[in-house]
Amino acid sequence: MAADLPEATVQNILDQESLKWVFVGGKGGVGKTTCSSILAICLASVRSSVLIISTDPAHNLSDAFQQRFTKSPTLVQGFSNLFAMEVDPTVETDDMAGTDGMDGLFSDLANAIPGIDEAMSFAEMLKLVQTMDYATIVFDTAPTGHTLRLLQFPATLEKGLSKLMSLKSRFGGLMTQMSRMFGMEDEFGEDALLGRLEGLKDVIEQVNRQFKDPDMTTFVCVCIPEFLSLYETERLVQELAKFEIDTHNIIINQVLYDDEDVESKLLRARMRMQQKYLDQFYMLYDDFNITKLPLLPEEVRTG
């Protein structure tokens, strides 16, 4: 059976030395963390340094490597150049507000613009990552819906900034007076928040330009050979095209390989079903690199 396993085709990612950002995404439960971890390990063998970031609130990265990761990059045990961090995209607004004075402004802003808190925490994380000198950064993203929101963050920040500007122009004087009444320094007022948003917007715009550059960024879609996963992958590929983000790799996970000795009717039926969807994947994505990974008898973990 091992002889039937196909050649993996993610080699194109390892060969593309200009790649800075590699997103790995797909429907929940298809094996994104396993695939992104393996990809990061492979990249670490051909790059000077690699960072893998989990933006999935479930944080399976710690489980996969059997090592505790936090929101700061941590060296993965057994490696000298592979680092991992787990970021919660739904950071509480009070975590993000540096002072009590800005706290109210943050929560008001978060309520006024859906997604602004996520956008700002994502921008803060990108700002941190930008200051570090990793050759390649792999994102183990949350299920598809969250990933697509993540790609909309530049627009969300833009909206937040214009909302704040309009508030400042309408109530600027009043806000300043109230800040002084409550003993808040100017640095804790709306100017500080505005400056912070502006700074984050610059970072996210710069990164967004890189995300849209196929030399620097690619998105790897992970799926399984079933109808819902095929449908979700199609939606993801279309959305990525809309955001102008390159994608040319699909990993089809949990594939059952035909073995002459299989007598189970259930397994035979599953193989026939999978083959139907595998044929559709190859037909729809004939210009993609498609890598098939087998369904294994045990879970994939290090150690």
Side-chain angles (χ1 to χ4, degrees):
M1 188 172 167
D4 296 335
L5 293 184
E7 289 285 320
T9 55
V10 289
Q11 186 63 40
N12 66 90
I13 294 173
L14 308 186
D15 292 343
Q16 192 178 333
E17 289 179 14
S18 63
L19 272 182
K20 168 90 173 166
W21 311 93
V22 180
F23 287 88
V24 180
K27 194 167 130 353
V30 295
K32 294 184 298 296
T33 301
T34 304
C35 292
S36 57
S37 301
I38 292 167
L39 195 53
I41 289 169
C42 291
L43 280 163
S45 67
V46 292
R47 298 284 192 279
S48 56
S49 60
V50 176
L51 173 67
I52 180 168
I53 301 176
S54 168
T55 59
D56 187 340
H59 291 327
N60 299 320
L61 212 53
S62 290
D63 300 328
F65 285 103
Q66 297 187 48
Q67 182 184 342
R68 180 86 184 91
F69 297 123
T70 64
K71 56 185 178 183
S72 301
T74 305
L75 186 65
V76 178
Q77 287 164 7
F79 292 88
S80 60
N81 65 338
L82 177 59
F83 299 80
M85 65 190 279
E86 293 181 330
V87 178
D88 191 347
T90 53
V91 170
E92 294 296 319
T93 46
D94 53 335
D95 283 351
M96 293 162 55
T99 65
D100 293 338
M102 286 171 73
D103 207 11
L105 280 168
F106 263 104
S107 51
D108 288 348
L109 195 63
N111 293 333
I113 304 130
I116 188 74
D117 51 343
E118 281 184 288
M120 288 186 74
S121 65
F122 182 66
E124 290 279 18
M125 183 265 293
L126 285 178
K127 196 171 171 183
L128 171 73
V129 168
Q130 283 286 82
T131 61
M132 303 169 191
D133 201 21
Y134 295 104
T136 309
I137 293 145
V138 179
F139 278 93
D140 172 29
T141 68
T144 314
H146 293 274
T147 304
L148 298 179
R149 272 224 307 282
L150 181 140
L151 301 173
Q152 291 165 341
F153 283 166
T156 307
L157 270 184
E158 186 79 63
K159 202 188 291 181
L161 211 67
S162 58
K163 180 102 181 168
L164 202 66
M165 289 298 274
S166 72
L167 280 173
K168 187 177 159 78
S169 61
R170 284 166 62 194
F171 306 114
L174 184 65
M175 285 165 86
T176 307
Q177 282 176 358
M178 285 181 71
S179 296
R180 288 190 183 132
M181 270 172 61
F182 287 110
M184 283 158 48
E185 297 297 323
D186 280 347
E187 63 183 292
F188 297 157
E190 79 281 357
D191 283 341
L193 180 58
L194 201 60
R196 187 160 170 201
L197 266 175
E198 280 282 11
L200 293 182
K201 184 167 154 280
D202 290 346
V203 171
I204 216 159
E205 277 180 352
Q206 180 198 348
V207 170
N208 203 40
R209 278 195 298 275
Q210 293 183 9
F211 284 177
K212 291 183 177 187
D213 181 349
D215 289 333
M216 297 191 75
T217 304
T218 194
F219 200 108
V220 180
C221 303
V222 182
C223 55
I224 54 177
E226 292 180 10
F227 170 75
L228 277 179
S229 192
L230 176 71
Y231 175 78
E232 190 98 354
T233 303
E234 179 58 21
R235 191 168 75 101
L236 180 57
V237 168
Q238 286 176 4
E239 288 287 331
L240 290 168
K242 198 165 81 181
F243 287 114
E244 301 170 59
I245 290 174
D246 172 76
T247 178
H248 57 273
N249 281 280
I250 291 177
I251 296 175
I252 307 177
N253 199 12
Q254 302 176 18
V255 175
L256 287 163
Y257 283 90
D258 200 356
D259 192 329
E260 298 301 317
D261 303 332
V262 173
E263 291 176 12
S264 162
K265 285 183 180 176
L266 174 65
L267 280 178
R268 284 266 167 225
R270 296 285 300 179
M271 282 177 189
R272 281 195 300 274
M273 178 209 71
Q274 284 197 352
Q275 194 53 54
K276 180 175 77 171
Y277 292 115
L278 284 168
D279 291 344
Q280 288 187 34
F281 270 110
Y282 280 102
M283 188 176 70
L284 280 168
Y285 304 106
D286 58 340
D287 54 342
F288 276 60
N289 294 298
I290 296 181
T291 306
K292 290 193 293 183
L293 294 179
L295 179 67
L296 300 171
E298 292 172 7
E299 60 188 344
V300 180
R301 297 175 80 187
T302 59

